[in-house]
Amino acid sequence: MSDRKSWSIAGQLFALQVMVVTLLVVSGAAGAFLLARRDARTAAVLQVGAVAETMARSPAVADALRTSDPTAVLQPYAEATRRATGTDFIVVMAPDRTRYTHRTTALIGQKFAGSVDAALAGGVVVEEFRGSLGDSVRTVVPIRAADGRIVGLVSVGITTKAINDSLLRQIPVVAAATAVAMLLAGAGSWLLSRRLRRQTRGLGPAEITRMYEYYDAVLHSVREGLLVIDRDGRVALINDEGRRLLGVPENADTDGPAADLGLPREAADLIASRRATVDEPVLAGDRVLVASQRETRFEGRVVGTVLTLRDHTELRELTGELDSVRGLTAALQAQAHEAANRLHTVLTMVELGRPDDAIELATAELALAQQLTDQVMGAVGEPALAALLLGKSAQAGERGVELTVVKESRITGERLPSRDLLTVVGNLVDNALEAVALAAPPRRVRVLVRQEEDEVLVRVSDTGPGLTPEQAAAAFRRGWSTKPGEGRGVGLSLVRQVADRYGGSYAITAGPDGRGAVLTVRLPVPS
């Protein structure tokens, strides 16, 4: 792609930082040079002023001016003072500007060039002037006799070239400091750019923008829920489907800890455990979710966990119905097998010439079957539920279990979907049949399905080994079972799911004589 040739964010930031740092350092160096130049001129003015005042106040200078040859006395003194103080010239002159001393001896006796009027008036002259030695900073101070009269003038100066030379001698130090500052700033910018490049994977602004737009569109359109948790247990990301499946309101604060979102218990426990899992069933309210969770790593360190969720509610409900239908089919097959055995017996007795005995056997079997059918159909007005109970009764008979639908059972099925009734009753009866299969005779299962004023009561009791209080508390949890093997612990969790959807209750208690277990489910229904 052509965008790949554009500068990355890290590269742009590095270039910008280098430009800014260079501008700041160069500006700082220029400012420092100007300040140093001003300070050097100020220092020169103070220096020449101090030397001039010292010479003007010297009694030897005033006494020499009264001699017939002041130059003979003052020239050696002035030159010695000049060399000692580092100034460029010291000129002692008469009030009429005639020089008595000068660095250039040829100029002695000539007129001083420069302003002296303020000095002759008793003041001090400070000026920059182009004289015989070039441009200079100079001070002119009056020399007074003991009686206060002005008997001469002294001018001390430093050339501008000397001031500039002193500044030039400082340039290597300033340049070195500037270079060090630029190197440090450049190194810091490079390290920051390198870290940013690593974090942004060398992507440019357009690429990051396009990636954000694509990822945002994907996250909000996928049919799977996605929840990302950082190392501190805080929610880093949750998409729309994740909110829907976990029941997180749109206005909920998703920037805080995951524990504060009010997630379903099983989902919250899975997130808190941080354990890796694949396609683990999780109950979330009235939904059955399939969850997969794993840790995410960056450069070898754990940065968080990613939880993906898929809604398998309808599939689980269809699976429950299919299990019920399969059970019903197996029961019908058992009935057909038993009926075939009885029919062969009747036919054989007829062939043996014992029709009366054949009629008696057929009538007795028919009466027994009709009695069970009348009992179930009279109590249960829901056809699908009645067929289920008849099939379970035949299946129980094949297993040597006595299944009884108690006479207090009364239900029409008009106020509760048959699918939910089949799920609850079928799974409770299957659980009871499996329980009594492990117990000693007599093996009995009693079923009560009764429609009351504002609820449907389903109670199934058995004469199996029963459950301890700890087992009873965990029995409705998905995956829990007293029997080993994969795929166990599903039936009662489906019963719990139906009860939770209706806002009902479920419980397990011991049998009346301390034997077996009684499973009771109450499903509130509208009047």
Side-chain angles (χ1 to χ4, degrees), residues 173-477:
V173 178
V174 175
T178 302
V180 170
M182 291 189 65
L183 287 175
L184 291 176
S189 300
W190 179 77
L191 291 174
L192 179 61
S193 173
R194 182 182 178 186
R195 177 179 176 85
L196 184 60
R197 182 180 292 107
R198 186 169 62 251
Q199 292 179 338
T200 59
R201 303 300 177 91
L203 299 177
E207 294 168 301
I208 291 179
T209 300
R210 183 170 59 251
M211 183 182 297
Y212 171 78
E213 292 174 348
Y214 289 167
Y215 283 7
D216 186 68
V218 170
L219 287 174
H220 292 291
S221 61
V222 294
R223 295 294 303 274
E224 288 190 355
L226 179 64
L227 185 64
V228 181
I229 309 296
D230 63 17
R231 288 180 299 175
D232 300 326
R234 303 177 68 87
V235 179
L237 183 145
I238 181 171
N239 67 348
D240 296 341
E241 186 68 6
R243 287 177 178 270
R244 185 183 73 85
L245 295 178
L246 295 175
V248 178
E250 288 293 333
N251 59 352
D253 181 14
T254 57
D255 294 330
D260 296 342
L261 284 181
L263 301 178
R265 181 175 57 83
E266 292 189 13
D269 292 343
L270 178 59
I271 292 172
S273 69
R274 294 181 178 272
R275 58 184 174 84
T277 185
V278 177
D279 293 342
E280 177 179 334
V282 173
L283 289 179
D286 59 348
R287 301 181 185 277
V288 178
L289 309 179
V290 175
S292 297
Q293 181 172 261
R294 68 181 181 90
E295 290 183 338
T296 57
R297 296 178 177 271
F298 178 72
E299 296 183 348
R301 60 186 180 89
V302 178
V303 296
T305 56
V306 176
L307 176 67
T308 57
L309 302 166
R310 299 192 306 274
D311 192 355
H312 275 212
T313 303
E314 295 182 359
L315 179 60
R316 291 292 181 177
E317 291 177 351
L318 292 175
T319 301
E321 291 184 16
L322 179 60
D323 291 340
S324 298
V325 171
R326 285 175 176 172
L328 179 59
T329 302
L332 292 177
Q333 290 175 345
Q335 281 189 327
H337 183 269
E338 186 67 17
N341 289 336
R342 292 168 183 168
L343 182 59
H344 284 303
T345 302
V346 170
L347 291 177
T348 301
M349 293 179 71
V350 171
E351 291 175 354
L352 294 175
R354 305 180 65 176
D356 294 337
D357 293 335
I359 293 174
E360 182 179 357
L361 176 61
T363 304
E365 292 295 334
L366 179 62
L368 182 61
Q370 188 62 42
Q371 180 182 1
L372 177 60
T373 302
D374 292 343
Q375 178 187 2
V376 173
M377 295 301 297
V380 180
E382 166 60 43
L385 181 60
L388 174 68
L389 290 175
L390 287 173
K392 293 296 182 184
S393 177
Q395 186 178 359
E398 191 177 47
R399 296 182 181 183
V401 179
E402 178 186 347
L403 189 148
T404 305
V405 179
V406 299
K407 60 181 181 179
E408 290 82 1
S409 298
R410 289 291 183 275
I411 188 168
T412 61
E414 298 175 355
R415 292 159 56 189
L416 199 66
S418 60
R419 181 178 64 182
D420 294 333
L421 272 175
L422 293 177
T423 298
V424 173
V425 176
N427 283 292
L428 291 181
V429 172
D430 286 341
N431 185 79
L433 292 177
E434 291 183 358
V436 297
L438 304 175
R443 300 184 181 94
R444 298 190 181 95
V445 174
R446 293 170 54 85
V447 180
L448 170 65
V449 183
R450 186 172 63 212
Q451 181 174 309
E452 299 182 348
E453 182 178 354
D454 56 355
E455 68 178 9
V456 171
L457 171 65
V458 179
R459 178 176 291 132
V460 177
S461 59
D462 62 69
T463 58
L467 297 174
T468 64
E470 292 77 13
Q471 291 175 328
F476 287 92
R477 190 175 67 237

